[in-house]
Amino acid sequence: MEQDVAALSRRRFPVFTSERGGTASLVTGATGFFGAALVAALLERSADEVVCLVRAPDEERARKRLLTHLDRHVPQVRGQFGRLTALAGDVTDEHLGLSGAALTALTARIGRIFHAAADVNGSLPYAALRAGNVRATLHLCDLAARSGADLHHISTTAARTDAADGIPLEHLPSGYARSKWMAEQAVAAYRRSLPAARVLIHQLGALSAHTASGVSNPADFRWLFLRACLDLRAAPLMEGGLCWLPVDCAAAAVAAVALAPDADAAGLPDPLPVTATGAVPWHDVFSWLRQDGHRLGVVSPDGWWRRLDARLRTGQDEHLLALAALAPALPAARARGDAAVWRALAALAAPETPFDRPRLRRSLRALACAP
């Protein structure tokens, strides 16, 4: 990391010399959980074309992969898929996996870049995530510099640190958090190099299922934990709560800020925290589950982990194995969102949507977790 920080201080970005003419939005990571919701939000809030860079051998298979993913996650915008363009590419490549002609055409076509692609893995070291999270971000900064497009970098509260200077390794325990922090430093270096560019970092907190479809991220630690509670028919005694923001609410916030012509006058902070302002106490979450017919006993945290270990010795449930592969710690509420930020976002027609019992029920139904 130290070498990467030093390299950023010496890095030079391309200089944009032409008038910006493009209006399309470029989205990376559109086949991810948040990326799908973001594409839907852009289609709903703008009449502009949305171009998605998709990892695939060719454009036909890129489009098929993109539409299959969107059809599952955001079927409510199926009628607007005609405004989507899929490009087969790779954000880890210096030229984004595009030919010279295709990259030139893309540069002239776009007015906004939403970089949501990332390698999300809490167990891998920084070195293994550097290409997908740090170098890829630099490549999108280069594209923004060449095109003059606004750059919206999708980050995470995991990269948040109170350290005033230096490399805050003690505040960033995982390789993933360190790689996202370094990606933010890359964006900051780009902003310093081209101060006239419009650049904003969006730090997302924990995201729950889409309000309309009920589709969630099945690999999310909190979902893995809740599903394990249902399988074990046991809920541990826990303090704190579930600090979750519906993914479509977060996507609407990012899209609203990017598309509003007067968003800069709203006084929003940078990085922009896009996180829930409140946490639902775990006691309430477990009560909702019981009221909906799920059998949940009460055990100590140590007893809960022992039950999980015992279950794993008798079966190979995929989601239980995924949970056991993570650190033996129960999910805790993250830093809460800023109410003033959400008031400003509400003025841009992107109010906060609270996570509640009906949304939990819909999500469990989508995951086929019936009582």
Side-chain angles (χ1 to χ4, degrees):
M1 282 185 69
E2 292 84 354
Q3 292 179 342
D4 286 344
V5 171
L8 281 180
S9 66
R10 301 187 299 269
R11 197 178 198 281
R12 297 294 178 265
F13 293 90
V15 177
F16 179 66
T17 57
S18 304
E19 287 296 324
R20 189 178 89 170
T23 61
S25 292
L26 173 68
V27 178
T28 70
T31 55
F33 178 55
F34 174 76
L38 178 59
V39 168
L42 292 170
L43 290 174
E44 290 169 334
R45 290 172 172 265
S46 168
D48 295 329
E49 176 191 19
V50 178
V51 181
C52 300
L53 192 69
V54 180
R55 191 187 293 255
D58 53 57
E59 290 193 1
E60 180 180 352
R61 279 177 280 188
R63 185 168 182 83
K64 181 178 180 181
R65 182 186 176 200
L66 174 66
L67 296 188
T68 299
H69 181 77
L70 296 180
D71 199 52
R72 165 168 165 70
H73 283 258
V74 287
Q76 69 276 10
V77 294
R78 190 178 294 141
Q80 301 183 62
F81 285 175
R83 288 196 285 120
L84 288 173
T85 298
L87 295 180
D90 181 356
V91 294
T92 65
D93 179 74
E94 182 180 4
H95 303 294
L96 303 180
L98 302 175
S99 67
L103 183 59
T104 298
L106 178 64
T107 300
R109 188 177 185 175
I110 55 176
R112 290 172 297 273
I113 297 171
F114 298 87
H115 179 39
D119 287 338
V120 183
N121 190 311
S123 61
L124 290 179
Y126 171 80
L129 299 169
R130 180 175 177 268
N133 293 347
V134 182
R135 290 187 60 82
T137 299
L138 285 169
H139 299 157
L140 272 298
C141 289
D142 287 341
L143 179 62
R146 286 193 296 267
S147 65
D150 301 341
L151 176 62
H152 293 271
H153 176 67
I154 310 304
S155 188
T156 168
T157 54
R160 187 182 300 174
T161 173
D162 296 327
D165 50 29
I167 303 176
L169 296 182
E170 67 279 8
H171 299 288
L172 301 169
S174 70
Y176 172 67
R178 294 177 184 185
S179 70
K180 294 299 288 184
W181 179 85
M182 184 60 71
E184 289 191 7
Q185 306 314 301
V187 174
Y190 167 62
R191 183 192 289 114
R192 289 192 298 270
S193 175
L194 296 171
R198 190 183 183 210
V199 182
L200 186 61
I201 296 170
H202 305 258
Q203 289 183 337
L204 307 186
L207 302 176
S208 66
H210 197 287
T211 300
S213 66
V215 176
S216 63
N217 178 7
D220 180 88
F221 183 33
R222 295 154 195 82
W223 274 124
L224 292 172
F225 167 67
L226 286 174
R227 293 190 68 179
C229 288
L230 299 181
D231 283 355
L232 300 175
R233 295 188 174 183
L237 288 168
M238 297 172 61
E239 297 181 355
L242 185 57
C243 191
W244 242 352
L245 184 71
V247 65
D248 49 306
C249 177
V254 172
V257 171
L259 296 172
D262 55 350
D264 293 340
L268 293 167
D270 184 18
L272 178 68
V274 185
T275 58
T277 55
V280 180
W282 282 111
H283 177 273
D284 291 350
V285 175
F286 297 140
S287 293
W288 293 346
L289 294 173
R290 293 186 184 100
Q291 291 167 25
D292 287 339
H294 295 279
R295 293 175 57 189
L296 285 177
V298 180
V299 297
S300 69
D302 288 343
W304 191 86
W305 282 108
R306 286 195 296 270
R307 287 196 181 198
L308 177 63
D309 290 339
R311 175 64 67 84
L312 289 173
R313 285 194 292 270
T314 61
Q316 295 294 311
D317 294 336
E318 184 176 340
H319 60 278
L320 294 181
L321 288 169
L323 179 66
L326 302 172
L330 297 173
R334 295 288 184 184
R336 296 183 182 179
D338 188 328
V341 166
W342 281 109
R343 285 193 294 271
L345 290 170
L348 299 175
E352 181 182 10
T353 303
F355 181 76
D356 55 15
R357 181 183 172 190
R359 289 181 175 84
L360 176 62
R361 185 188 301 123
R362 190 180 304 118
S363 302
L364 291 174
R365 191 182 302 123
L367 289 171
C369 295

